[in-house]
Structures are given as structure tokens and as C-alpha cells.
Amino acid sequence: LMRARTLEIVDLPEGESPAVEPVRDEPWWAFNYYLGGLKSRVVLNIDLPTTGLDLIHLAAHEVYPGHHTESSVKEQRLVREQGRIEESIAMVPTPGALLSEGIAEIGADIVLDDASREEAYAILRRHGIELADPELAVRISDAIDELRGVSLNAALMIFEDGMTLD
């Protein structure tokens, strides 16, 4: 579903493909390792609680139309077609990394409307993942999004200003 919706807005290069792998004992929830050759290794930390709604967000963020899509399209159009080998390097923290996160964060909003969200929920249900109350889950997710800046500000205060964890 997410790939099909992404194809409606961008031409994906022939042969692109992500692989998803569960991992444990990592400090993050999920990560996309772009491997080159139009391939990505997307890892999901299964130690952390993940809801069905989270899976939809992660699929959009890490794969379609998120990080995997951006990296594979850049490799095809900029590196392979234009010879801009410098585009094969991902550097952080840079303005480009900030733009990449922005693209990934709005991925679900770009490719999913109400009807396709319902289709995504149906796919999850077919795989045994129930969303007891999708409307409530979306309202909770929206409320949490409003608080997302709190953790970022706390991290900045700890690492840049020397605040204690307490």
C-alpha cells in the first residue's frame, strides 16, 4: 500500500528494495541503513512497545515515502544519472539531514488519506494486529505529537547546557 501510494508521486528506481529486520538492545526505536545499490536495511527495536499505528508511521518514515525512497531516488537520479558521487554520502548533523528527517516525518501525511489509512488498518488486521479504536489511537498520537518537542528540548538542555538527568 505505502509503496503503491509513493509510486503515485515519485518514480521509484528499478530494483529498489528495503529489507526489514527486528533487533534488540538498541537505544533507538527504528533506523534505516541505506546500503547503496538501491537497497536499505530497516531495523526495528522489538524491545520497545510498538502499536499498529506506530507501524504505519514507521513504514512511511523509514521506507515509503521516507528515508529508503529518498536515498534510492537520489542514488538513481543524482549519482547514477548525473555522476554526483558526493550525493552518496549522508552526513549528520547537517541541513541535509534535517531535510531528510522532515521528509520522513511527513511521509504518512503525504501518501495516506482517510480511505488509504483504513486500508492500512485492514492490512494490519489481516496480519493479526488489531487497532481496537483507530479514531482514539489517532487522537492520542496527535496529542503525543504536540509534546514531541519536550524530549528534544530536554536532550538539548542535558547535552548542550549540562543539565543533570534529574
Side-chain angles (χ1 to χ4, degrees):
L1 170 68
M2 303 296 270
R3 186 177 190 280
R5 298 294 299 224
T6 298
L7 277 166
E8 293 175 10
I9 58 172
V10 66
D11 292 329
L12 293 169
E14 184 74 30
E16 60 76 29
S17 67
V20 180
E21 171 184 330
V23 294
R24 293 186 170 279
D25 246 3
E26 295 292 347
W28 36 255
W29 185 24
F31 198 84
N32 180 307
Y33 293 99
Y34 188 69
L35 305 174
L38 308 176
K39 310 287 185 220
S40 288
R41 176 178 164 246
V42 179
V43 293
L44 174 63
N45 185 352
I46 59 174
D47 292 332
L48 300 177
T50 301
T51 68
L53 196 61
D54 293 335
L55 289 174
I56 293 168
H57 173 79
L58 282 173
H61 183 104
E62 301 296 349
V63 187
Y64 299 115
H67 294 305
H68 168 74
T69 298
E70 178 192 7
S71 296
S72 60
V73 168
K74 280 183 174 179
E75 179 178 341
Q76 180 63 40
R77 293 200 180 145
L78 300 178
V79 178
R80 292 178 177 193
E81 293 174 13
Q82 297 179 21
R84 297 179 58 189
I85 193 145
E86 71 275 10
E87 292 295 334
S88 63
I89 300 170
M91 296 176 44
V92 293
T94 63
L98 180 64
L99 288 173
S100 182
E101 280 305 307
I103 291 167
E105 271 302 296
I106 63 169
D109 293 333
I110 291 172
V111 297
L112 296 179
D113 55 20
D114 289 342
S116 54
R117 280 186 194 278
E118 287 302 320
E119 188 177 345
Y121 300 153
I123 291 168
L124 290 173
R125 282 191 292 277
R126 284 197 305 270
H127 290 280
I129 301 169
E130 279 298 324
L131 288 173
D133 186 343
E135 288 181 27
L136 177 60
V138 169
R139 287 199 330 263
I140 291 170
S141 178
D142 289 346
I144 290 170
D145 279 348
E146 293 293 321
L147 298 172
R148 184 171 276 161
V150 173
S151 63
L152 296 174
N153 287 335
L156 287 172
M157 291 168 62
I158 291 166
F159 294 107
E160 289 188 358
D161 301 334
M163 299 291 288
T164 66
L165 291 177
D166 290 341

